[in-house]
Amino acid sequence: LILRFQHKLIRLFSMLHAVALADLEGDRSIDSVVAFRLPLIDVAGIDGESLLQLRETGCKVELCFQWIQQLVVENIKTDVLSIPPPILTRAFQELANGMVKYHDAMVIAHIPFPFPYMQT
């Protein structure tokens, strides 16, 4: 049970990393995104319906992030994760901080540099 949780968590983080990099590359077709050609950790371990849902959504990073949070919460209920609440809160806080940093990077990647500064 614990190994299944660990393996799924690693797969989801691998997928989260790839979709975040792809999102930072910009609005291009799926075939031309370099991040989607990077190897994922055992993508066959994720069910086909989830992969199809991920492919169809416009918010890939947020969906992967939600799957990670859901996996953690489900495994708290089944006692796979039996950790004190303050440590668990800190883990969720660090995950959220990662998403904040991702959104900061999206701002930098998508907002053009002001034209007057480019001329100097």
Side-chain angles (χ1 to χ4, degrees), residues 17-28:
H17 183 253
V19 295
L21 287 175
D23 217 7
L24 288 169
E25 280 188 49
D27 296 328
R28 296 192 281 175

Side-chain angles (χ1 to χ4, degrees), residues 63-80:
L63 182 61
C64 282
F65 180 71
Q66 183 61 36
W67 286 343
I68 290 169
Q69 285 186 318
Q70 182 179 351
L71 180 68
V72 170
V73 169
E74 286 173 355
N75 283 281
I76 292 167
K77 292 178 184 176
T78 60
D79 285 335
V80 170

